[in-house]
Amino acid sequence: MKFESFLSSFKSGDSSWQESPVLFERIQYAKETVLQNKPAHSRSIKAPEFLTDFGLRKSTSQFYFIEQVSKKLGITLPTEEEIVAQLMTIDISDLATWIDSIVMILGYYSSCHSVVTIRQDELCQIDSPADLVKLATLCGI
């Protein structure tokens, strides 16, 4: 399953929004930045920047959270292999935005790290220092 399809599984106003305000904010942020290509805006503690807010450490909480919510709602999670395949096709200028949302929602650090490693020769094309910091932090975890 593609990440966009997974995000689209959560419809505004359906029972998924009642599960958690954390879920609502994280999914909404990802929909805006990934699906609608809107510029990133400030986030609350409900949707932290896992790549930069917590220093150099992985967290498994977002995976366990979305796994349980998805089970309850009957939504299939995309596999790490599907995410890697999709990230390999994303425009390099959008890569950090996608990885930020994927780590925030799915917690797939290792998969995202492998994509950054494979695509490292393209990273010099990224203009945003903030995006480069996100990707460098991921590589330091």
Side-chain angles (χ1 to χ4, degrees):
M1 169 184 288
K2 289 192 170 190
F3 189 55
E4 305 101 292
S5 300
F6 175 72
L7 291 175
S8 296
S9 299
F10 297 90
K11 307 275 189 248
S12 293
D14 73 6
S15 63
S16 65
W17 298 120
Q18 298 168 11
E19 289 302 312
S20 166
V22 168
L23 175 69
F24 174 79
E25 191 163 328
R26 291 179 186 182
I27 297 290
Q28 195 61 33
Y29 182 86
K31 281 183 171 185
E32 288 174 8
T33 57
V34 171
L35 299 183
Q36 300 168 8
N37 212 19
K38 291 183 180 177
H41 53 79
S42 62
R43 292 147 63 161
S44 78
I45 191 68
K46 295 177 201 165
E49 292 191 42
F50 282 91
L51 293 176
T52 56
D53 285 355
F54 301 119
L56 296 175
R57 63 187 170 103
K58 285 185 193 179
S59 173
T60 55
S61 64
Q62 64 271 43
F63 175 75
Y64 293 123
F65 172 72
I66 198 65
E67 180 184 46
Q68 293 306 310
V69 169
S70 294
K71 272 186 199 174
K72 185 174 182 178
L73 297 173
I75 296 172
T76 303
L77 291 173
T79 66
E80 293 195 57
E81 293 79 15
E82 290 168 326
I83 292 296
V84 167
Q86 186 170 16
L87 288 175
M88 292 302 295
T89 67
I90 298 299
D91 186 280
I92 195 67
S93 64
D94 296 327
L95 187 62
T97 299
W98 278 72
I99 285 177
D100 176 51
S101 289
I102 289 166
V103 167
M104 176 181 61
I105 294 172
L106 298 171
Y108 290 171
Y109 289 90
S110 297
S111 301
C112 291
H113 178 265
S114 68
V115 170
V116 172
T117 301
I118 293 166
R119 297 187 70 181
Q120 67 184 337
D121 291 342
E122 298 173 72
L123 299 180
C124 61
Q125 299 171 36
I126 297 174
D127 295 336
S128 166
D131 286 351
L132 289 170
V133 166
K134 287 177 189 175
L135 298 176
T137 303
L138 175 65
C139 291
I141 295 176

